[in-house]
Amino acid sequence: MKALAVYCGSATPSDPVYIKAAQRVGETLAERGITVVYGGGRLGLMGAVADSALAAGGKVIGVIPEALRNAEVAHTGCTELHIVPGMHERKKLFTDLSDGFINLPGGVGTMDELWEAISWAQLGYHDKPVGVLNIARYYDKLIEFYQHMAQTGFVRSQHKDIMLVADNIDALLDKMGSSKPIETIFSMKAEDL
């Protein structure tokens, strides 16, 4: 994996565990020579990932919609900063530029990015690993719900392991690096669906 999209919040929660973990992600990716592809912001967890990767000598590619750049939240210190018209173009560029996806804690936008990465993987729009970094058990209920969707049959058995989960970045990168492509919906016959 040469480049990973990192999805996370632009908020700064009161508990410092989230910022510290985001900084560790940026440092670890830089140390491993993995380019950070992220939302291009300078605030919250997004800024912490970018700043720590840059400080560790890593490459950081930001992708930010024009409206957010105009709101002056863009990180102007990125190695590259792509300004795109909107969110659809942003997520497509994340997918085009990266070899996988890491989700740190975040809000609605982060959830949107996570579910789209999983959905696109099961359909067959990409064959890249989708990782969830479960910092301070933030994603416990979401992981439980994903398992519930699989148990009830709304996530096919071939796709129940798309979401790779770990509580530290090194373990997550190891899982992502050893993941195997899944049987996609596009490759299935109607009777298998």
Side-chain angles (χ1 to χ4, degrees):
M1 296 182 292
K2 295 179 181 176
L4 290 173
V6 179
Y7 296 143
C8 58
S10 61
T12 303
S14 58
D15 188 337
V17 69
Y18 297 106
I19 291 293
K20 288 179 183 174
Q23 291 167 335
R24 178 73 184 123
V25 167
E27 292 167 3
T28 300
L29 294 177
E31 289 165 1
R32 291 190 181 206
I34 299 171
T35 297
V36 171
V37 180
Y38 86 117
R42 60 178 174 80
L43 306 175
L45 271 65
M46 290 173 64
V49 169
D51 288 341
S52 60
L54 290 165
K59 182 177 179 184
V60 175
I61 300 173
V63 183
I64 194 165
E66 190 171 354
L68 289 176
R69 190 229 13 217
N70 293 344
E72 299 182 357
V73 298
H75 192 306
T76 57
C78 293
T79 311
E80 296 176 25
L81 184 62
H82 298 266
I83 312 298
V84 294
M87 295 301 286
H88 296 295
E89 297 87 356
R90 182 190 210 187
K91 290 187 288 185
K92 182 178 183 322
L93 195 51
F94 283 148
T95 302
D96 292 345
L97 294 174
S98 69
D99 301 312
F101 310 88
I102 296 177
N103 284 79
L104 278 63
V108 174
T110 305
M111 295 305 102
D112 174 52
E113 292 162 339
L114 169 62
W115 289 119
E116 184 167 281
I118 291 171
S119 175
W120 286 16
Q122 73 179 10
L123 287 168
Y125 284 114
H126 72 75
D127 62 355
K128 302 170 184 185
V130 181
V132 171
L133 188 57
N134 194 19
I135 299 165
R137 302 180 60 141
Y138 180 81
Y139 280 116
D140 280 0
K141 293 189 185 318
L142 182 129
I143 295 162
E144 181 182 333
F145 181 65
Y146 187 71
Q147 292 167 345
H148 173 70
M149 289 191 296
Q151 290 164 356
T152 56
F154 285 104
V155 171
R156 291 169 182 81
S157 61
Q158 300 94 319
H159 305 144
K160 67 180 177 51
D161 296 323
I162 289 174
M163 183 189 293
L164 305 170
V165 179
D167 62 4
N168 72 75
I169 186 60
D170 292 305
L172 185 59
L173 290 172
D174 290 346
K175 282 185 177 185
M176 292 173 71
S178 64
S179 69
K180 305 282 186 247
I182 52 111
E183 183 182 10
T184 69
I185 289 174
F186 292 158
S187 69
M188 295 177 178
K189 302 268 190 251
E191 58 269 13
D192 299 326
L193 299 172

